[in-house]
Amino acid sequence: MAAIEAEGLRKVFGNVVALDGVSFSVEEGEIFGLLGPNGAGKTTTINILTTLIRPTSGSAKVWGYDVRTETSKVRSVIGLVPQDLTVDDELTGIENLKLMASLYHVPKDVAERRIEEVLELVDLKEAARRRVETYSGGMRKRLELAAALIHRPKVLFLDEPTLGLDVQTRAHIWDYIKRLVREEHLTVLMTTHYMDEADANCDRIAVIDRGRIMAIGSPRELKAAHGSDVIELEVQGNGVNVQSLVKEVRGVLDFRIEGNRATLRVERGEEVLPELMGRMIGRGVTVKRIEMRRPTLDEVFIALTGRSIREEQGSWEEVFRQSLNIRRVRA
Amino acid sequence: MIGEISAIMGRELRKWVRSPPLLLMALIQPLFWMGLYGKAFNLTGLFNVPEDVLRSLPPESTKVVASLFNQMASRFFGSPGTDYFSFVATGMVSVIVLFVSVFSGMSIAWDRRLGFLNKLLVAPIRRSSIVLGKVLAASVRALVQATMVLLMGLALGMRLSPASPLLVAGAVASIFLLAVSLSSLVIAITLRLRSWEYHMAVANLLNLPLMFTSTALYPQTLMPDWMKPLATLNPLTHTIELLRSALLYGNSVDLAAYQFHLAYLSAFALLAAGLGSYAANRFLSAER
């Protein structure tokens, strides 16, 4: 059974088409990423799958339950870590967790043990009795993770789990997420617009743009299908025609030469690179510097959409929330 | 269901207890109404005949005039001994409930804005539990605030003449019922409002009309005819009258009227809470 199955999801807000026929499925135990710019439809997808909003058309099942007709069953098997920091500032860590436990009907004695467990998982035992307003951004996010796990969900939804956190904290949060997935046997659907995070942490990725899924696959597959290796050289020609030399090498897709610098887009760089070096040295070209870059998801994204991940001006509300989040994170 | 409601109520109350400035600020307005208006606007003073006037009257008419004025005072203010300050103070004990209740929808707007509402909405709980939890929290707040206003009134010279403890208990219940009624209605109205500016507008829209069509400041018998039925419909009136019966009128309390007020408030609260729950199940969502 697939943990999540979405079939032709469409969502229209007024005259804005937020989702335009989104289909994908997530296997049990997978970390599945929705990657796309702001406004691409990532959060709308999560909101539909978590029963917060109803699709205009199309259907989806989470853990076998229909998100339109079996809302309370869906709700009891999922955990949501929303984009915003929603743990309550004025309550302590434990109070926040107790609140979530009662909202999920976890019996009191079970809840007490479970709260200990999740606090342990996210390393918040010491701070648990302090009010959340004294927490750092990373600690809040960890508490948020703990709160989403209190009822032992099967599927965890993470909406931009590292938004607004500094680089170090981001890496840290990812360690925790991976630990949770391992120890709690979770299936994770997450959204992000950080390419590097999606690349490093997701089993599979769906690239989403303007409400449509452009490609689905593992980061490696996507990069192989939509990206290419880039080789950059700095050479001294010594009278040799570098241009015709490069043309002879198999696997070079295209290239650009400016003065003594050459940039090549190639297939299977690991094979092209030695051949290129051999030919150049054989003909007497001096290679001063050489560098090969593997494709990034950025390139995949550009190849798929023709654009770089763009920052879109959010609504007033979104801007307000984000600044609020950032303020909380910095506090 | 009860666990859900009490969890949400508990959260609201914890947050409230931890911000005392809010609590104190909410007391300022009733303090002005009571301390300044209630003291300066001595309506019952009109029915006190000054000594020198009384002395200058022919002795045979003194008694007649005195009894006439006593009759008028008890017709307008419930009992001949009631002073206007105590009259207004009981009114203000109820008006603070109004002031607290009209802002009860605000917390949903904030939860929505901060994203907490989504967390409540993805939990496997009834939407009505969210609203009922908030209504009950607002009602407990209102009860505490009303008690504080009553203490303020006593400190400023309110004169109590309580009837039986049972009637006083009923009056306390009436404060709670009023809070449930008003906050359920307000939440039902403001359920989908997204910004706090709208909530302010709704609060202001409700505050003064409800206060002035109640008997908080002047008796129903003195109102123009078109306003009297409004006062009767207004749940505020019934709480105010219950409070006055239980706290001011001593033995001259009208039991039948007392029971009617209590029944009206119970029915009103039940209906309003039902409406609030229905609105929640039907309209409370993350959709915009």
Side-chain angles (χ1 to χ4, degrees), chain A residues 11 53-54 75 86 88 90 95 102-105 144 320-321 324, chain B residues 4 11 14-15 18 113-114 116 119 121-122 124-125 127 287:
Chain A
K11 180 69 189 181
I53 61 177
R54 291 173 66 84
R75 286 173 190 147
T86 58
D88 206 312
E90 285 152 278
E95 284 171 339
S102 20
L103 291 180
Y104 282 87
H105 310 118
E144 200 86 55
F320 170 84
R321 278 196 195 181
L324 198 77
Chain B
E4 303 162 14
R11 163 181 179 258
R14 271 205 190 92
K15 284 166 76 81
R18 286 172 194 178
R113 181 165 295 177
L114 296 178
F116 188 80
K119 227 165 181 181
L121 291 174
V122 293
I125 57 174
R127 271 71 192 113
E287 304 256 6

PDB file of all heavy atoms in Angstrom, chain A residues 11 53-54 75 86 88 90 95 102-105 144 320-321 324, chain B residues 4 11 14-15 18 113-114 116 119 121-122 124-125 127 287:
ATOM      1  N   LYS A  11      -6.801  22.637  -7.328  1.00  0.00           N
ATOM      2  CA  LYS A  11      -7.352  23.559  -6.349  1.00  0.00           C
ATOM      3  C   LYS A  11      -7.366  24.945  -6.949  1.00  0.00           C
ATOM      4  O   LYS A  11      -6.351  25.439  -7.426  1.00  0.00           O
ATOM      5  CB  LYS A  11      -6.523  23.549  -5.058  1.00  0.00           C
ATOM      6  CG  LYS A  11      -7.041  24.486  -3.986  1.00  0.00           C
ATOM      7  CD  LYS A  11      -8.361  24.003  -3.409  1.00  0.00           C
ATOM      8  CE  LYS A  11      -8.980  25.059  -2.499  1.00  0.00           C
ATOM      9  NZ  LYS A  11     -10.266  24.586  -1.916  1.00  0.00           N
ATOM     10  N   ILE A  53      -7.777  21.845   3.701  1.00  0.00           N
ATOM     11  CA  ILE A  53      -8.640  22.389   2.659  1.00  0.00           C
ATOM     12  C   ILE A  53      -9.079  21.255   1.739  1.00  0.00           C
ATOM     13  O   ILE A  53      -8.456  20.193   1.709  1.00  0.00           O
ATOM     14  CB  ILE A  53      -7.954  23.514   1.846  1.00  0.00           C
ATOM     15  CG1 ILE A  53      -6.712  22.990   1.139  1.00  0.00           C
ATOM     16  CG2 ILE A  53      -7.593  24.680   2.729  1.00  0.00           C
ATOM     17  CD1 ILE A  53      -6.041  24.038   0.273  1.00  0.00           C
ATOM     18  N   ARG A  54     -10.188  21.478   1.018  1.00  0.00           N
ATOM     19  CA  ARG A  54     -10.707  20.447   0.131  1.00  0.00           C
ATOM     20  C   ARG A  54     -10.262  20.727  -1.298  1.00  0.00           C
ATOM     21  O   ARG A  54     -10.237  21.880  -1.722  1.00  0.00           O
ATOM     22  CB  ARG A  54     -12.233  20.434   0.188  1.00  0.00           C
ATOM     23  CG  ARG A  54     -12.774  19.938   1.514  1.00  0.00           C
ATOM     24  CD  ARG A  54     -14.267  20.119   1.565  1.00  0.00           C
ATOM     25  NE  ARG A  54     -14.947  19.275   0.596  1.00  0.00           N
ATOM     26  CZ  ARG A  54     -15.271  17.999   0.819  1.00  0.00           C
ATOM     27  NH1 ARG A  54     -14.982  17.446   1.972  1.00  0.00           N
ATOM     28  NH2 ARG A  54     -15.895  17.289  -0.099  1.00  0.00           N
ATOM     29  N   ARG A  75      -6.840  12.385   9.936  1.00  0.00           N
ATOM     30  CA  ARG A  75      -6.226  13.237  10.961  1.00  0.00           C
ATOM     31  C   ARG A  75      -5.544  12.427  12.049  1.00  0.00           C
ATOM     32  O   ARG A  75      -4.535  12.851  12.612  1.00  0.00           O
ATOM     33  CB  ARG A  75      -7.279  14.149  11.587  1.00  0.00           C
ATOM     34  CG  ARG A  75      -7.680  15.264  10.652  1.00  0.00           C
ATOM     35  CD  ARG A  75      -8.846  16.070  11.181  1.00  0.00           C
ATOM     36  NE  ARG A  75      -9.335  16.974  10.147  1.00  0.00           N
ATOM     37  CZ  ARG A  75     -10.606  17.333  10.013  1.00  0.00           C
ATOM     38  NH1 ARG A  75     -11.517  16.877  10.855  1.00  0.00           N
ATOM     39  NH2 ARG A  75     -10.954  18.146   9.044  1.00  0.00           N
ATOM     40  N   THR A  86       4.276  27.170  15.558  1.00  0.00           N
ATOM     41  CA  THR A  86       2.958  27.273  16.183  1.00  0.00           C
ATOM     42  C   THR A  86       2.931  26.796  17.624  1.00  0.00           C
ATOM     43  O   THR A  86       1.887  26.811  18.252  1.00  0.00           O
ATOM     44  CB  THR A  86       1.921  26.451  15.398  1.00  0.00           C
ATOM     45  OG1 THR A  86       2.361  25.107  15.364  1.00  0.00           O
ATOM     46  CG2 THR A  86       1.783  26.966  13.993  1.00  0.00           C
ATOM     47  N   ASP A  88       3.136  27.152  21.456  1.00  0.00           N
ATOM     48  CA  ASP A  88       2.666  28.320  22.171  1.00  0.00           C
ATOM     49  C   ASP A  88       3.752  28.918  23.052  1.00  0.00           C
ATOM     50  O   ASP A  88       4.234  28.271  23.969  1.00  0.00           O
ATOM     51  CB  ASP A  88       1.445  27.936  23.007  1.00  0.00           C
ATOM     52  CG  ASP A  88       0.566  29.138  23.259  1.00  0.00           C
ATOM     53  OD1 ASP A  88       1.128  30.183  23.648  1.00  0.00           O
ATOM     54  OD2 ASP A  88      -0.646  29.041  23.051  1.00  0.00           O
ATOM     55  N   GLU A  90       3.689  31.119  25.338  1.00  0.00           N
ATOM     56  CA  GLU A  90       3.423  31.397  26.746  1.00  0.00           C
ATOM     57  C   GLU A  90       3.320  30.133  27.590  1.00  0.00           C
ATOM     58  O   GLU A  90       3.190  30.198  28.802  1.00  0.00           O
ATOM     59  CB  GLU A  90       2.150  32.229  26.881  1.00  0.00           C
ATOM     60  CG  GLU A  90       2.381  33.663  26.474  1.00  0.00           C
ATOM     61  CD  GLU A  90       1.116  34.306  25.949  1.00  0.00           C
ATOM     62  OE1 GLU A  90       0.792  34.109  24.768  1.00  0.00           O
ATOM     63  OE2 GLU A  90       0.458  34.993  26.726  1.00  0.00           O
ATOM     64  N   GLU A  95       3.900  21.666  28.637  1.00  0.00           N
ATOM     65  CA  GLU A  95       2.487  22.048  28.501  1.00  0.00           C
ATOM     66  C   GLU A  95       2.028  21.978  27.054  1.00  0.00           C
ATOM     67  O   GLU A  95       0.919  21.535  26.761  1.00  0.00           O
ATOM     68  CB  GLU A  95       2.262  23.457  29.063  1.00  0.00           C
ATOM     69  CG  GLU A  95       2.234  23.486  30.576  1.00  0.00           C
ATOM     70  CD  GLU A  95       2.237  24.897  31.135  1.00  0.00           C
ATOM     71  OE1 GLU A  95       2.645  25.837  30.418  1.00  0.00           O
ATOM     72  OE2 GLU A  95       1.847  25.062  32.298  1.00  0.00           O
ATOM     73  N   SER A 102      -3.705  15.750  24.541  1.00  0.00           N
ATOM     74  CA  SER A 102      -5.152  15.664  24.779  1.00  0.00           C
ATOM     75  C   SER A 102      -5.942  15.921  23.505  1.00  0.00           C
ATOM     76  O   SER A 102      -7.039  15.391  23.351  1.00  0.00           O
ATOM     77  CB  SER A 102      -5.626  16.570  25.920  1.00  0.00           C
ATOM     78  OG  SER A 102      -4.734  17.591  26.191  1.00  0.00           O
ATOM     79  N   LEU A 103      -5.396  16.725  22.600  1.00  0.00           N
ATOM     80  CA  LEU A 103      -6.107  16.924  21.337  1.00  0.00           C
ATOM     81  C   LEU A 103      -6.137  15.643  20.501  1.00  0.00           C
ATOM     82  O   LEU A 103      -6.993  15.472  19.646  1.00  0.00           O
ATOM     83  CB  LEU A 103      -5.455  18.051  20.528  1.00  0.00           C
ATOM     84  CG  LEU A 103      -5.602  19.459  21.111  1.00  0.00           C
ATOM     85  CD1 LEU A 103      -4.919  20.479  20.222  1.00  0.00           C
ATOM     86  CD2 LEU A 103      -7.062  19.827  21.301  1.00  0.00           C
ATOM     87  N   TYR A 104      -5.184  14.754  20.764  1.00  0.00           N
ATOM     88  CA  TYR A 104      -5.152  13.498  20.020  1.00  0.00           C
ATOM     89  C   TYR A 104      -5.669  12.327  20.852  1.00  0.00           C
ATOM     90  O   TYR A 104      -5.449  11.166  20.505  1.00  0.00           O
ATOM     91  CB  TYR A 104      -3.739  13.223  19.488  1.00  0.00           C
ATOM     92  CG  TYR A 104      -3.435  14.060  18.266  1.00  0.00           C
ATOM     93  CD1 TYR A 104      -2.918  15.330  18.379  1.00  0.00           C
ATOM     94  CD2 TYR A 104      -3.724  13.580  16.992  1.00  0.00           C
ATOM     95  CE1 TYR A 104      -2.682  16.107  17.251  1.00  0.00           C
ATOM     96  CE2 TYR A 104      -3.486  14.338  15.875  1.00  0.00           C
ATOM     97  CZ  TYR A 104      -2.964  15.603  16.001  1.00  0.00           C
ATOM     98  OH  TYR A 104      -2.736  16.360  14.894  1.00  0.00           O
ATOM     99  N   HIS A 105      -6.324  12.667  21.953  1.00  0.00           N
ATOM    100  CA  HIS A 105      -6.957  11.650  22.794  1.00  0.00           C
ATOM    101  C   HIS A 105      -5.979  10.590  23.273  1.00  0.00           C
ATOM    102  O   HIS A 105      -6.325   9.408  23.353  1.00  0.00           O
ATOM    103  CB  HIS A 105      -8.117  10.977  22.061  1.00  0.00           C
ATOM    104  CG  HIS A 105      -9.066  11.954  21.442  1.00  0.00           C
ATOM    105  ND1 HIS A 105      -9.292  12.025  20.099  1.00  0.00           N
ATOM    106  CD2 HIS A 105      -9.825  12.920  21.995  1.00  0.00           C
ATOM    107  CE1 HIS A 105     -10.154  12.996  19.842  1.00  0.00           C
ATOM    108  NE2 HIS A 105     -10.487  13.554  20.973  1.00  0.00           N
ATOM    109  N   GLU A 144       8.374  21.538  17.966  1.00  0.00           N
ATOM    110  CA  GLU A 144       7.323  21.384  16.958  1.00  0.00           C
ATOM    111  C   GLU A 144       7.319  19.950  16.411  1.00  0.00           C
ATOM    112  O   GLU A 144       6.266  19.328  16.249  1.00  0.00           O
ATOM    113  CB  GLU A 144       7.605  22.375  15.839  1.00  0.00           C
ATOM    114  CG  GLU A 144       6.451  22.711  14.953  1.00  0.00           C
ATOM    115  CD  GLU A 144       5.613  23.826  15.523  1.00  0.00           C
ATOM    116  OE1 GLU A 144       6.135  24.916  15.822  1.00  0.00           O
ATOM    117  OE2 GLU A 144       4.412  23.595  15.659  1.00  0.00           O
ATOM    118  N   PHE A 320       3.880  38.982   6.832  1.00  0.00           N
ATOM    119  CA  PHE A 320       3.749  39.193   8.268  1.00  0.00           C
ATOM    120  C   PHE A 320       4.190  37.953   9.039  1.00  0.00           C
ATOM    121  O   PHE A 320       4.979  38.012   9.959  1.00  0.00           O
ATOM    122  CB  PHE A 320       2.297  39.517   8.608  1.00  0.00           C
ATOM    123  CG  PHE A 320       2.000  39.528  10.079  1.00  0.00           C
ATOM    124  CD1 PHE A 320       2.240  40.658  10.844  1.00  0.00           C
ATOM    125  CD2 PHE A 320       1.483  38.397  10.692  1.00  0.00           C
ATOM    126  CE1 PHE A 320       1.974  40.658  12.195  1.00  0.00           C
ATOM    127  CE2 PHE A 320       1.212  38.386  12.046  1.00  0.00           C
ATOM    128  CZ  PHE A 320       1.466  39.521  12.804  1.00  0.00           C
ATOM    129  N   ARG A 321       3.676  36.797   8.598  1.00  0.00           N
ATOM    130  CA  ARG A 321       3.999  35.554   9.274  1.00  0.00           C
ATOM    131  C   ARG A 321       5.474  35.264   9.236  1.00  0.00           C
ATOM    132  O   ARG A 321       6.071  34.837  10.201  1.00  0.00           O
ATOM    133  CB  ARG A 321       3.303  34.389   8.582  1.00  0.00           C
ATOM    134  CG  ARG A 321       1.891  34.215   8.992  1.00  0.00           C
ATOM    135  CD  ARG A 321       1.517  32.855   8.546  1.00  0.00           C
ATOM    136  NE  ARG A 321       0.086  32.676   8.571  1.00  0.00           N
ATOM    137  CZ  ARG A 321      -0.484  31.531   8.227  1.00  0.00           C
ATOM    138  NH1 ARG A 321       0.249  30.538   7.826  1.00  0.00           N
ATOM    139  NH2 ARG A 321      -1.772  31.413   8.288  1.00  0.00           N
ATOM    140  N   LEU A 324       7.385  37.430  11.469  1.00  0.00           N
ATOM    141  CA  LEU A 324       7.127  36.993  12.837  1.00  0.00           C
ATOM    142  C   LEU A 324       7.971  35.767  13.166  1.00  0.00           C
ATOM    143  O   LEU A 324       8.576  35.668  14.223  1.00  0.00           O
ATOM    144  CB  LEU A 324       5.646  36.659  12.975  1.00  0.00           C
ATOM    145  CG  LEU A 324       5.104  36.594  14.392  1.00  0.00           C
ATOM    146  CD1 LEU A 324       4.893  37.993  14.924  1.00  0.00           C
ATOM    147  CD2 LEU A 324       3.807  35.833  14.400  1.00  0.00           C
TER     148      LEU A 324
ATOM    149  N   GLU B   4     -11.173  17.221  24.898  1.00  0.00           N
ATOM    150  CA  GLU B   4     -10.764  18.199  23.890  1.00  0.00           C
ATOM    151  C   GLU B   4     -11.107  19.618  24.343  1.00  0.00           C
ATOM    152  O   GLU B   4     -10.284  20.525  24.292  1.00  0.00           O
ATOM    153  CB  GLU B   4     -11.514  17.968  22.565  1.00  0.00           C
ATOM    154  CG  GLU B   4     -11.374  16.607  21.968  1.00  0.00           C
ATOM    155  CD  GLU B   4     -12.464  16.301  20.940  1.00  0.00           C
ATOM    156  OE1 GLU B   4     -13.176  17.233  20.484  1.00  0.00           O
ATOM    157  OE2 GLU B   4     -12.596  15.126  20.591  1.00  0.00           O
ATOM    158  N   ARG B  11      -5.692  25.819  27.798  1.00  0.00           N
ATOM    159  CA  ARG B  11      -4.644  26.591  27.122  1.00  0.00           C
ATOM    160  C   ARG B  11      -4.961  28.078  27.179  1.00  0.00           C
ATOM    161  O   ARG B  11      -4.113  28.899  27.529  1.00  0.00           O
ATOM    162  CB  ARG B  11      -4.524  26.148  25.669  1.00  0.00           C
ATOM    163  CG  ARG B  11      -3.770  27.143  24.811  1.00  0.00           C
ATOM    164  CD  ARG B  11      -3.664  26.728  23.377  1.00  0.00           C
ATOM    165  NE  ARG B  11      -2.951  27.721  22.602  1.00  0.00           N
ATOM    166  CZ  ARG B  11      -3.545  28.597  21.801  1.00  0.00           C
ATOM    167  NH1 ARG B  11      -4.849  28.610  21.668  1.00  0.00           N
ATOM    168  NH2 ARG B  11      -2.821  29.466  21.121  1.00  0.00           N
ATOM    169  N   ARG B  14      -4.547  29.439  30.728  1.00  0.00           N
ATOM    170  CA  ARG B  14      -3.141  29.548  31.121  1.00  0.00           C
ATOM    171  C   ARG B  14      -2.521  30.803  30.538  1.00  0.00           C
ATOM    172  O   ARG B  14      -1.814  31.533  31.206  1.00  0.00           O
ATOM    173  CB  ARG B  14      -2.357  28.349  30.616  1.00  0.00           C
ATOM    174  CG  ARG B  14      -2.363  27.234  31.592  1.00  0.00           C
ATOM    175  CD  ARG B  14      -1.181  26.317  31.428  1.00  0.00           C
ATOM    176  NE  ARG B  14      -1.447  25.166  32.276  1.00  0.00           N
ATOM    177  CZ  ARG B  14      -2.057  24.083  31.842  1.00  0.00           C
ATOM    178  NH1 ARG B  14      -2.417  23.983  30.585  1.00  0.00           N
ATOM    179  NH2 ARG B  14      -2.309  23.099  32.666  1.00  0.00           N
ATOM    180  N   LYS B  15      -2.787  31.009  29.239  1.00  0.00           N
ATOM    181  CA  LYS B  15      -2.226  32.196  28.580  1.00  0.00           C
ATOM    182  C   LYS B  15      -2.737  33.465  29.253  1.00  0.00           C
ATOM    183  O   LYS B  15      -2.010  34.424  29.421  1.00  0.00           O
ATOM    184  CB  LYS B  15      -2.616  32.201  27.093  1.00  0.00           C
ATOM    185  CG  LYS B  15      -1.817  31.225  26.266  1.00  0.00           C
ATOM    186  CD  LYS B  15      -2.461  31.033  24.913  1.00  0.00           C
ATOM    187  CE  LYS B  15      -2.223  32.198  23.985  1.00  0.00           C
ATOM    188  NZ  LYS B  15      -0.902  32.116  23.356  1.00  0.00           N
ATOM    189  N   ARG B  18      -1.264  34.248  32.614  1.00  0.00           N
ATOM    190  CA  ARG B  18       0.132  34.675  32.529  1.00  0.00           C
ATOM    191  C   ARG B  18       0.313  36.059  31.954  1.00  0.00           C
ATOM    192  O   ARG B  18       1.436  36.510  31.779  1.00  0.00           O
ATOM    193  CB  ARG B  18       0.926  33.648  31.720  1.00  0.00           C
ATOM    194  CG  ARG B  18       1.132  32.417  32.568  1.00  0.00           C
ATOM    195  CD  ARG B  18       1.732  31.297  31.815  1.00  0.00           C
ATOM    196  NE  ARG B  18       1.593  30.072  32.611  1.00  0.00           N
ATOM    197  CZ  ARG B  18       1.995  28.895  32.219  1.00  0.00           C
ATOM    198  NH1 ARG B  18       2.581  28.764  31.069  1.00  0.00           N
ATOM    199  NH2 ARG B  18       1.832  27.846  32.986  1.00  0.00           N
ATOM    200  N   ARG B 113      -3.863  33.493  12.490  1.00  0.00           N
ATOM    201  CA  ARG B 113      -2.708  34.197  11.961  1.00  0.00           C
ATOM    202  C   ARG B 113      -1.399  33.522  12.362  1.00  0.00           C
ATOM    203  O   ARG B 113      -0.455  33.459  11.582  1.00  0.00           O
ATOM    204  CB  ARG B 113      -2.729  35.636  12.447  1.00  0.00           C
ATOM    205  CG  ARG B 113      -1.583  36.428  11.910  1.00  0.00           C
ATOM    206  CD  ARG B 113      -1.789  37.889  12.076  1.00  0.00           C
ATOM    207  NE  ARG B 113      -2.904  38.384  11.289  1.00  0.00           N
ATOM    208  CZ  ARG B 113      -3.326  39.635  11.313  1.00  0.00           C
ATOM    209  NH1 ARG B 113      -2.733  40.493  12.089  1.00  0.00           N
ATOM    210  NH2 ARG B 113      -4.328  40.021  10.572  1.00  0.00           N
ATOM    211  N   LEU B 114      -1.338  33.026  13.561  1.00  0.00           N
ATOM    212  CA  LEU B 114      -0.089  32.416  14.028  1.00  0.00           C
ATOM    213  C   LEU B 114       0.062  30.974  13.572  1.00  0.00           C
ATOM    214  O   LEU B 114       1.063  30.333  13.840  1.00  0.00           O
ATOM    215  CB  LEU B 114      -0.008  32.485  15.557  1.00  0.00           C
ATOM    216  CG  LEU B 114       0.048  33.893  16.125  1.00  0.00           C
ATOM    217  CD1 LEU B 114       0.073  33.864  17.639  1.00  0.00           C
ATOM    218  CD2 LEU B 114       1.267  34.646  15.592  1.00  0.00           C
ATOM    219  N   PHE B 116      -1.626  28.452  14.627  1.00  0.00           N
ATOM    220  CA  PHE B 116      -2.031  27.466  15.624  1.00  0.00           C
ATOM    221  C   PHE B 116      -3.377  26.848  15.275  1.00  0.00           C
ATOM    222  O   PHE B 116      -3.629  25.677  15.550  1.00  0.00           O
ATOM    223  CB  PHE B 116      -2.085  28.099  17.019  1.00  0.00           C
ATOM    224  CG  PHE B 116      -2.307  27.093  18.105  1.00  0.00           C
ATOM    225  CD1 PHE B 116      -1.254  26.325  18.579  1.00  0.00           C
ATOM    226  CD2 PHE B 116      -3.575  26.874  18.625  1.00  0.00           C
ATOM    227  CE1 PHE B 116      -1.459  25.365  19.555  1.00  0.00           C
ATOM    228  CE2 PHE B 116      -3.774  25.914  19.608  1.00  0.00           C
ATOM    229  CZ  PHE B 116      -2.719  25.166  20.074  1.00  0.00           C
ATOM    230  N   LYS B 119      -3.186  23.760  13.419  1.00  0.00           N
ATOM    231  CA  LYS B 119      -2.820  22.624  14.247  1.00  0.00           C
ATOM    232  C   LYS B 119      -4.046  22.030  14.930  1.00  0.00           C
ATOM    233  O   LYS B 119      -4.178  20.822  15.042  1.00  0.00           O
ATOM    234  CB  LYS B 119      -1.820  23.073  15.298  1.00  0.00           C
ATOM    235  CG  LYS B 119      -0.665  22.140  15.384  1.00  0.00           C
ATOM    236  CD  LYS B 119       0.405  22.813  16.141  1.00  0.00           C
ATOM    237  CE  LYS B 119       1.612  21.958  16.244  1.00  0.00           C
ATOM    238  NZ  LYS B 119       2.625  22.656  17.011  1.00  0.00           N
ATOM    239  N   LEU B 121      -6.999  22.296  13.682  1.00  0.00           N
ATOM    240  CA  LEU B 121      -7.853  21.751  12.631  1.00  0.00           C
ATOM    241  C   LEU B 121      -7.355  20.415  12.085  1.00  0.00           C
ATOM    242  O   LEU B 121      -8.141  19.640  11.565  1.00  0.00           O
ATOM    243  CB  LEU B 121      -7.988  22.766  11.483  1.00  0.00           C
ATOM    244  CG  LEU B 121      -8.800  24.027  11.819  1.00  0.00           C
ATOM    245  CD1 LEU B 121      -8.749  25.017  10.684  1.00  0.00           C
ATOM    246  CD2 LEU B 121     -10.241  23.675  12.157  1.00  0.00           C
ATOM    247  N   VAL B 122      -6.061  20.135  12.184  1.00  0.00           N
ATOM    248  CA  VAL B 122      -5.599  18.819  11.719  1.00  0.00           C
ATOM    249  C   VAL B 122      -5.692  17.763  12.813  1.00  0.00           C
ATOM    250  O   VAL B 122      -5.447  16.592  12.561  1.00  0.00           O
ATOM    251  CB  VAL B 122      -4.144  18.807  11.173  1.00  0.00           C
ATOM    252  CG1 VAL B 122      -4.033  19.604   9.906  1.00  0.00           C
ATOM    253  CG2 VAL B 122      -3.160  19.252  12.203  1.00  0.00           C
ATOM    254  N   PRO B 124      -7.686  15.269  15.327  1.00  0.00           N
ATOM    255  CA  PRO B 124      -8.967  14.568  15.131  1.00  0.00           C
ATOM    256  C   PRO B 124      -9.998  14.970  16.182  1.00  0.00           C
ATOM    257  O   PRO B 124     -10.445  14.159  16.975  1.00  0.00           O
ATOM    258  CB  PRO B 124      -8.576  13.092  15.269  1.00  0.00           C
ATOM    259  CG  PRO B 124      -7.368  13.099  16.127  1.00  0.00           C
ATOM    260  CD  PRO B 124      -6.662  14.394  15.887  1.00  0.00           C
ATOM    261  N   ILE B 125     -10.344  16.238  16.198  1.00  0.00           N
ATOM    262  CA  ILE B 125     -11.331  16.727  17.164  1.00  0.00           C
ATOM    263  C   ILE B 125     -12.470  17.402  16.420  1.00  0.00           C
ATOM    264  O   ILE B 125     -12.325  17.770  15.253  1.00  0.00           O
ATOM    265  CB  ILE B 125     -10.713  17.754  18.138  1.00  0.00           C
ATOM    266  CG1 ILE B 125     -10.097  18.923  17.370  1.00  0.00           C
ATOM    267  CG2 ILE B 125      -9.672  17.108  19.021  1.00  0.00           C
ATOM    268  CD1 ILE B 125      -9.601  20.038  18.252  1.00  0.00           C
ATOM    269  N   ARG B 127     -14.835  20.388  15.346  1.00  0.00           N
ATOM    270  CA  ARG B 127     -14.662  21.838  15.234  1.00  0.00           C
ATOM    271  C   ARG B 127     -15.395  22.561  16.351  1.00  0.00           C
ATOM    272  O   ARG B 127     -14.958  23.591  16.832  1.00  0.00           O
ATOM    273  CB  ARG B 127     -15.181  22.340  13.883  1.00  0.00           C
ATOM    274  CG  ARG B 127     -14.158  22.322  12.776  1.00  0.00           C
ATOM    275  CD  ARG B 127     -13.837  20.906  12.328  1.00  0.00           C
ATOM    276  NE  ARG B 127     -12.664  20.875  11.460  1.00  0.00           N
ATOM    277  CZ  ARG B 127     -11.517  20.302  11.795  1.00  0.00           C
ATOM    278  NH1 ARG B 127     -11.377  19.743  12.968  1.00  0.00           N
ATOM    279  NH2 ARG B 127     -10.519  20.287  10.956  1.00  0.00           N
ATOM    280  N   GLU B 287      -9.729  27.284   4.999  1.00  0.00           N
ATOM    281  CA  GLU B 287      -9.931  27.896   3.674  1.00  0.00           C
ATOM    282  C   GLU B 287     -10.039  29.408   3.831  1.00  0.00           C
ATOM    283  O   GLU B 287     -10.508  29.902   4.840  1.00  0.00           O
ATOM    284  CB  GLU B 287     -11.238  27.387   3.042  1.00  0.00           C
ATOM    285  CG  GLU B 287     -11.322  25.894   2.937  1.00  0.00           C
ATOM    286  CD  GLU B 287     -11.092  25.394   1.520  1.00  0.00           C
ATOM    287  OE1 GLU B 287     -10.764  26.219   0.643  1.00  0.00           O
ATOM    288  OE2 GLU B 287     -11.246  24.186   1.306  1.00  0.00           O
TER     289      GLU B 287
END
